Amino acid sequence: MRTSRDNPFQPGSDVVPAVWAGRTAHLSDWRDVLRPRLIDGLFERGRTVLGEPGLGKSSLVRRIADDAERAGDWVTPQIRIALGSDPIKRLATEALRLADKAGLSAAREHRVGRLLERVQSVAVSGASLSLRASEGHEPHTDLTDLLVEIGLAAVDRGNVVLIHLDEIQNITDEVALSQVLIALGDSITRKVEVRVPSIGTVERSLPIAVYLTGLPEFDETSGARKGATFARRFRTTVLEPIDDDDLRSALRLFVVSGWGVSDDAGGVGVVRMEEAATEAIIDLCRGEPFLFQLVGERAWYAGTGSVVTRGEVLDGWRQAQSEAVAHVERILDRLPDRERDFVMAMAELSPGARSLSEIAAAAGFSKAADAGTASQRLDRVRGIISRGRPYTFRHRAVEAFLTSDWPDGTGSSRTL
């Protein structure tokens, strides 16, 4: 009954999994705050969503983008910025596609036609365009002007424009980063005058929503280069692992009514899970969206019957352990030496002994103050630990890997 065609779990980046867990606050922010305010002409900051690999940043925004498209909004694809590429070219290319959706390519105004030609040049040549000075235009201003025209068309249509830039930490060039942020920031803060029946002319913001997603390095390394206006134009959140209750809610459907699949006779059947199987999935994934999908996928393939058992979850997990270990090791390997030393020392201490002074001493810092910057970055920027009394781990997969026999399956704590 269980086949690859019916498997609802989808580990991997940039996909919207069929079995969705958590992130309700972010989804509600789009549905109940951001979109309604933009439709009404009220200003809303762009959203920057950062986090370590595997926390579902891109999947979250693609889920929001899917909701937007179903509502009739104009949405860009995931504009992934490759390291060393020209982000202005990518953004200009997708802006031109939005212009087509908005019907601007068919506009008869000479002004709009010239603007489209200029942005087409930017899409070909990027930020290095040499003719800008002589023509009196710069790539980012042309891009801003086109986004404003698209926003005006969205006002007439009564919908929203959603732009999603991914892997923004890869914009390492200071000039390129500045041009991208200014073009996007200027478009979402632009005020325009529109006529309202029975009222007259009113001023409003454009219905343009911007989502930036990427690794914590974007906030850590580019803070000074982004400028003071960035915080006024974009709201940054750092994703954390998903709460166990949210994971439990996502799997409850399998227990209560089952997951619909095609049966061998061409009809429809259902696959259910033992409650013990759902608890095993929750325990093994440690709140990591990637690991949640990985455990579910392997459990599905571990049998063929109509009920996923706890034994099948554990059998599937054994096949996935090396991938789970590699996932956590990548997170640790990305840490600068001082931050990694801090995390490793923290893991070696018993939970009640994890004060800043004890961790600093175990990590080899000469005094506790020397560990302050590392602890702040691990907390505020990366979301791996929480500074408190005592210090605790927020990234539960990292904690489990360093302090227990996970991912072997029992989750027993190491003797500290």
Side-chain angles (χ1 to χ4, degrees), residues 177-190:
L177 177 64
S178 176
Q179 292 209 14
V180 166
L181 295 181
I182 288 175
L184 295 172
D186 284 355
S187 64
I188 63 177
T189 56
R190 181 70 61 90

Side-chain angles (χ1 to χ4, degrees), residues 114 118 130-142 145:
R114 288 289 297 138
R118 294 200 303 270
S130 61
L131 298 178
R132 290 293 135 211
S134 61
E135 294 178 1
H137 298 278
E138 293 186 4
H140 75 277
T141 59
D142 288 338
D145 290 344

Side-chain angles (χ1 to χ4, degrees), residues 367-389:
K367 54 183 182 297
D370 293 340
T373 300
S375 67
Q376 289 171 13
R377 288 174 177 167
L378 288 165
D379 181 0
R380 184 183 61 83
V381 176
R382 301 189 184 278
I384 291 178
I385 70 168
S386 288
R387 291 175 295 161
R389 297 184 180 182

Side-chain angles (χ1 to χ4, degrees), residues 27-89:
L27 296 174
S28 176
D29 174 62
W30 163 253
R31 294 169 182 162
D32 302 331
V33 178
L34 184 53
R35 188 176 190 276
R37 284 180 59 84
L38 291 176
I39 289 289
D40 288 347
L42 301 172
F43 168 72
E44 266 295 321
R45 288 183 292 174
R47 304 302 197 248
T48 304
V49 182
L50 307 177
E52 293 297 325
L55 286 176
K57 304 173 294 294
S58 300
S59 296
L60 169 62
V61 178
R62 294 329 297 165
R63 167 74 181 267
I64 291 171
D66 286 350
D67 288 351
E69 286 192 302
R70 283 192 290 270
D73 296 330
W74 298 329
V75 178
T76 69
Q78 178 182 354
I79 308 173
R80 177 179 290 149
I81 307 300
L83 189 63
S85 65
D86 187 334
I88 287 289
K89 289 177 65 173

